[in-house]
Amino acid sequence: LIDLFTMDLELRRRGAQKSKRPDIHRANAAEVFGLAEDEITDEMRATAKGVIYGTGYGAGPLKILTTIRDHAEESGDPVQIRASYELDEMDVEDMLANWFKAHPGLAQGRRSKISSAVRRSRVLPKGGAGLGLEVIQEYESGRRRRFLSGRAPHGGWDGGTDRRADPIPTEVLNAPVQTGASIIFDDTILAIDRDIQSGRLGPWTEELEREGRCPGIIVPLHDAVYLEAPEGEADEAVAMCREHAEREREGREGKKWVYPIDVKVGEYWG
């Protein structure tokens, strides 16, 4: 989703072909570290994902470093934890510089979002000293959102030389991604649930669902959905998920979008 919101044509192409590539994150990590793909370790791959996702949400080097360490701690992997604490803020800045250099459209996309936010904003009186800013954003989905910021959206880390400029308000870069993702996620879950209740994966009734004896959505968790279905219906469950999640969607100005997903099948979900 982040790839498709950027103005970098290469990342948009990668996003569209994600489901056809064996490991897009390893290829991205090679650019973040400035190495060949076969030199990228699993720990470097995890670090690069943190760097890349951080840029999509408007995070700077320190926030990205903190997030990388938090995720490493959550994984419980001692090798990954040690690798995360061997990094410092300057290391992350160097990775960001590599990533922005490889994809100049990223900085262009940031500047475009900031300019749009400035055009759609107005200064409002703020409690106490200083002024606040009301910013209006319109997303690919056509939805609009207002939020208040303590400062005008300017500056920020975009791979340039001014690495200590005031950060861009997170909402300017974060909200379009989060809003688009929530629309797709909600729409997909509702469509899957309708198919399940229609009997696509086997007999379904409210009574069987209460007793846990029929296919169903166990739980949506952040950006994932856990389904339970008979083993013999696994292939059909995968096809159903792809059918609804990866269908073509139309955004503003008639743009067409397809968001590829990953689907995994296993005996246990916990």
Side-chain angles (χ1 to χ4, degrees), residues 209-232:
E209 184 181 51
R210 284 194 297 270
E211 296 173 358
R213 296 193 293 118
C214 68
I217 296 174
I218 299 175
V219 62
L221 182 62
H222 188 50
D223 58 355
V225 178
Y226 292 91
L227 303 179
E228 189 168 57
E231 187 174 353

Side-chain angles (χ1 to χ4, degrees), residues 14-35:
R14 286 187 192 179
Q17 298 179 347
K18 180 182 176 183
S19 60
K20 302 177 184 178
R21 299 195 60 167
D23 191 346
I24 194 171
H25 295 300
R26 197 169 297 276
N28 290 343
E31 293 180 338
V32 168
F33 283 93
L35 299 171

Side-chain angles (χ1 to χ4, degrees), residues 126-148:
K126 185 180 176 184
L131 297 172
L133 195 75
E134 181 188 46
V135 181
I136 303 174
Q137 282 191 288
E138 186 171 344
Y139 312 131
E140 290 295 338
S141 63
R143 287 190 181 182
R144 304 180 78 193
R145 178 174 180 268
R146 290 177 171 83
F147 60 87
L148 296 179

Side-chain angles (χ1 to χ4, degrees), residues 93-163:
E93 290 186 358
D94 289 340
M95 294 178 207
L96 284 166
N98 288 341
W99 183 241
F100 277 99
K101 183 178 179 180
H103 300 284
L106 286 171
Q108 182 184 354
R110 283 191 168 205
R111 287 192 291 270
S112 175
K113 288 185 177 70
I114 296 165
S115 297
S116 176
V118 170
R119 289 195 303 270
R120 296 171 179 272
S121 64
R122 56 176 177 158
V123 177
L124 300 174
K126 185 180 176 184
L131 297 172
L133 195 75
E134 181 188 46
V135 181
I136 303 174
Q137 282 191 288
E138 186 171 344
Y139 312 131
E140 290 295 338
S141 63
R143 287 190 181 182
R144 304 180 78 193
R145 178 174 180 268
R146 290 177 171 83
F147 60 87
L148 296 179
S149 172
R151 57 182 178 276
H154 67 281
W157 209 99
D158 64 358
T161 55
D162 186 8
R163 300 185 176 188

Side-chain angles (χ1 to χ4, degrees), residues 13 32 35 61 73 80 84 90 113 120 177 197 205 249-250 258:
R13 184 186 65 80
V32 168
L35 299 171
E73 294 279 3
Q80 190 173 331
S84 71
M90 291 301 294
K113 288 185 177 70
R120 296 171 179 272
V177 177
Q197 293 187 28
T205 67
R249 290 173 167 84
E250 184 172 338
V258 174

